[in-house]
Amino acid sequence: MANNAVFAEVASLAGDPGRAGMLHALMDGRALTATELARVAGITPQTASGHLARLTVGGLVAVEKQGRHRYHRLASPAVARMLESIMQVAADTAPPRKAFVGPRDQALRAARTCYDHLAGNLGVALADALVTRGHIELTSDAGIVTDTGTALFDTLGIDLDATGKRKGRMLCRPCLDWSERRPHLAGSVGAALCKHCMSEGWIKHVDGSRAVAITVKGQRKFREVFGIGSVG
Amino acid sequence: MANNAVFAEVASLAGDPGRAGMLHALMDGRALTATELARVAGITPQTASGHLARLTVGGLVAVEKQGRHRYHRLASPAVARMLESIMQVAADTAPPRKAFVGPRDQALRAARTCYDHLAGNLGVALADALVTRGHIELTSDAGIVTDTGTALFDTLGIDLDATGKRKGRMLCRPCLDWSERRPHLAGSVGAALCKHCMSEGWIKHVDGSRAVAITVKGQRKFREVFGIGSVG
DNA sequence: TAGATGCTTCGGTCAAGGCCGAAGCATCGC
DNA sequence: GCGATGCTTCGGCCTTGACCGAAGCATCTA
C-alpha cells in the first residue's frame, strides 16, 4: 500500500532530533527564519537548510520569501494537531523527570502558546475557570460554549463568529496539556481567546520561544474577568 | 531540552515503513500476534520482533502474553489519535493517486474501523445522516448529540452513559477521514455506535484487516434507521 | 559597485539502524 | 518425553541519512 509509505515518511520527518527541535519552535504559530531555527535546534544553518527543504517538500512546513529572508511556518493546523498529539504520547512515555527543570522549561510550563491557543499552567487555569463558572462544558472529546459563555465573550469583544463558521451552538475542542496533563481550551474558541489576550496586551511572547509572559495588565484582567490569581 | 528527544523518538518509532505497517494494522483496535503483524508489514518474524520490542519500550504498543502467543495492541487511545493525525497530514501531502487503487484499498475506503469507531465511506455516510437528521451537530472542532439524537440512541439500545462520563449534554468528537476528506464520528459516541453495529451483526471485520463488510442485515438496518442506501 | 548577510548546494565522512539467516528459548499438543 | 510452533537473540551485511566545511548564489546596505 503506497499510502503506508507516505505515512512513514511524514512520521520520520518529525522523528529526527534536529527537525523535531525546529518543528517544536514553530509550534507557537509564528514564522521563523532558517537561521533562527538552526539556532534553537542546535545545528548549523546549512544542516537546517537541508532539513527545512525536506520538511517543505514533505508538506509539514510552508515557506514564504521576504527579501533575503525566508520565513518558515507550519503548513497547516493539521500539522500542528499532529505535533500536539505526538507530544501527548511523548509526555505519557516520558520518564518521571521531577528534578532538572531548567528555567526555560519552567517558563514553558507556566504559560505558552500551542500553535494558536494557550497552554501550560495559564491555559489550564483559564479552561478551569471557564468550566467552573459555567461558561463552557468540556469532556475529553469535545466542548461547548454555553449561553453565559457566549455572553461573556461578547462583552469582552471576542468575535467567535469570525473564527469558526458559527451555526447555532458554538463548539470547541479540548487539548490535553502535556505539562499539566489536564485539558486546556483549543479549537477556534481557544484561538480567539488567545488572540484577544495577545492583542489586548495581557500576555506577550518571551524572546523567541513559545513561552509567554503575563503582563501586569494581564494579571489584573485575569483576576477580574476569570478570577485567576497568580499563575506560573 | 530532554523532552525534545522523547518527541523525536516517538515520531521516529512511527517513521519506519515496517513499524508503520504494523501500527496501521493495529489501528483497528484489536490485538495481533507478532507473526500476523510481520505478515501484514511484509517483513520476517525476527525483524518484526525487534520492531515490536522497540515499540513496546517506546510506549506505543502494549503486549499481553497468552500461552505461546503474544498479543500486541496500541498502548492507549492517545496513540491511536496520534496515528490518526499523522494519517491526516499524510493524506494532505499524498499525491493525487487517482489510478491504482487496489481491491484491498477499495475495501478500506468503503468501510473500516479507525481504532474504536467507523470510518470510510460508511463512517462518513453515517455522520452525514445523523447531521442532516438533526441528531448531532458537528464542526471541525467538536460535536454534540442533540435531544433527538439522544432519544434515537436510547431506542437503539446504545448506552452512551457507559462509555463517557455523561453530564448533562453529550459531546462527541469529529475525526477527519483520510479517504473521504470529510468528518466522521469519533470519540465515545462514535465508539459506542461502532460497538453497537458490530455486536448487532450489522458489520463484521474482513479477514485480518481494518476493513469491515456490511452484512445483509446491516444493509437493511442502515437503510431503515439512518436512511443510508448502498454504501461502498 | 563593493561588502555584508541570509541561505543553499556540494562533497565527503561517519554512525545509526534496518534487514535477514541461523540458532536458542519457551510453550503447546500428543 | 518429543516434535512442532511462536517468538526472540545474535552476528554480519549494507543502505540511509545526519552532519559539517567550503564554496556559491541572492539580496540588502552603503
Side-chain angles (χ1 to χ4, degrees):
Chain A
M1 225 171 295
N3 225 331
N4 213 329
V6 184
F7 176 100
E9 193 187 322
V10 169
S12 72
L13 279 175
D16 170 80
R19 288 193 293 267
M22 296 193 282
L23 291 171
H24 190 98
L26 290 174
M27 279 281 289
D28 67 355
R30 288 180 301 181
L32 302 177
T33 67
T35 308
E36 289 171 313
L37 287 169
R39 191 169 41 79
V40 302
I43 51 182
T44 61
Q46 63 269 31
T47 301
S49 176
H51 283 317
L52 287 169
R54 290 191 58 183
L55 288 171
T56 304
V57 304
L60 296 200
V61 161
V63 55
E64 199 175 338
K65 200 174 167 178
Q66 222 173 83
R68 66 176 149 179
H69 296 277
R70 300 190 63 175
Y71 288 96
H72 301 265
R73 58 175 174 78
L74 297 187
S76 71
V79 174
R81 275 198 292 273
M82 178 186 84
L83 298 176
E84 275 176 22
S85 68
I86 297 175
M87 280 176 30
Q88 190 51 237
V89 173
D92 285 351
T93 306
R97 66 193 307 289
K98 306 192 176 187
F100 290 152
V101 278
R104 187 185 183 81
D105 219 34
Q106 201 81 16
L108 276 179
R109 284 166 187 276
R112 65 178 178 276
T113 48
C114 185
Y115 191 58
D116 58 5
H117 56 272
L118 289 170
N121 197 338
L122 174 63
V124 171
L126 272 175
D128 276 350
L130 288 169
V131 166
T132 59
R133 300 196 161 201
H135 296 321
I136 60 174
E137 297 174 16
L138 277 185
T139 68
S140 62
D141 283 335
I144 188 174
V145 180
T146 63
D147 292 340
T148 75
T150 306
L152 174 67
F153 287 136
D154 273 350
T155 62
L156 285 177
I158 299 179
D159 188 12
L160 294 179
D161 305 11
T163 52
K165 56 249 168 191
R166 178 176 190 168
K167 51 171 185 177
R169 260 178 281 250
M170 197 60 210
L171 301 173
C172 60
R173 180 171 73 90
C175 176
L176 201 53
D177 199 287
W178 59 259
S179 59
E180 299 289 319
R181 308 226 173 179
R182 308 216 355 259
H184 57 245
L185 196 56
S188 54
V189 176
L193 181 59
C194 176
K195 192 177 167 191
H196 183 78
C197 291
M198 207 66 92
S199 65
E200 291 290 313
W202 299 355
I203 54 176
K204 62 179 180 184
H205 266 291
V206 174
D207 58 79
S209 90
R210 294 172 52 199
V212 298
I214 305 172
T215 64
V216 176
K217 181 179 177 187
Q219 294 278 6
R220 183 165 48 81
K221 282 294 186 178
F222 286 135
R223 180 184 300 275
E224 285 176 17
V225 180
F226 304 102
I228 298 175
S230 66
V231 178
Chain B
M1 224 172 297
N3 224 331
N4 213 329
V6 184
F7 176 99
E9 192 187 322
V10 168
S12 72
L13 279 176
D16 169 80
R19 288 193 292 266
M22 296 194 282
L23 290 171
H24 190 98
L26 290 174
M27 279 281 288
D28 67 354
R30 288 180 300 181
L32 302 176
T33 67
T35 308
E36 290 172 313
L37 287 170
R39 192 168 40 77
V40 302
I43 51 181
T44 61
Q46 65 270 31
T47 300
S49 176
H51 282 316
L52 287 169
R54 290 192 58 183
L55 288 171
T56 304
V57 304
L60 297 199
V61 161
V63 55
E64 198 174 338
K65 199 173 169 181
Q66 224 173 81
R68 64 176 151 184
H69 296 276
R70 301 189 63 173
Y71 288 96
H72 301 264
R73 59 176 174 77
L74 297 187
S76 70
V79 174
R81 276 200 290 273
M82 178 186 84
L83 298 177
E84 275 176 24
S85 69
I86 297 175
M87 280 175 31
Q88 189 51 237
V89 173
D92 285 352
T93 306
R97 66 194 308 286
K98 306 192 178 186
F100 289 150
V101 276
R104 186 184 184 81
D105 220 34
Q106 201 81 16
L108 276 179
R109 283 167 187 276
R112 65 178 179 276
T113 48
C114 185
Y115 191 57
D116 59 3
H117 56 273
L118 288 171
N121 197 338
L122 174 63
V124 172
L126 272 174
D128 276 349
L130 288 169
V131 167
T132 59
R133 299 192 162 204
H135 296 320
I136 59 175
E137 295 175 17
L138 278 185
T139 68
S140 62
D141 282 337
I144 189 173
V145 179
T146 64
D147 291 341
T148 76
T150 306
L152 173 66
F153 286 136
D154 273 350
T155 62
L156 285 177
I158 299 178
D159 188 13
L160 294 179
D161 303 12
T163 52
K165 56 249 168 191
R166 178 174 189 169
K167 51 170 185 179
R169 261 178 279 250
M170 196 61 211
L171 302 174
C172 58
R173 180 172 72 90
C175 176
L176 201 53
D177 198 288
W178 59 259
S179 59
E180 300 289 319
R181 307 226 173 180
R182 308 216 357 260
H184 56 245
L185 195 56
S188 54
V189 176
L193 181 59
C194 175
K195 192 177 166 192
H196 184 78
C197 292
M198 206 65 92
S199 65
E200 291 290 314
W202 298 355
I203 55 175
K204 59 178 180 184
H205 266 290
V206 173
D207 58 79
S209 92
R210 293 174 52 200
V212 298
I214 305 173
T215 64
V216 176
K217 182 180 178 186
Q219 293 280 5
R220 183 164 48 82
K221 281 294 185 178
F222 285 135
R223 180 184 298 275
E224 285 177 16
V225 180
F226 305 103
I228 298 175
S230 66
V231 178

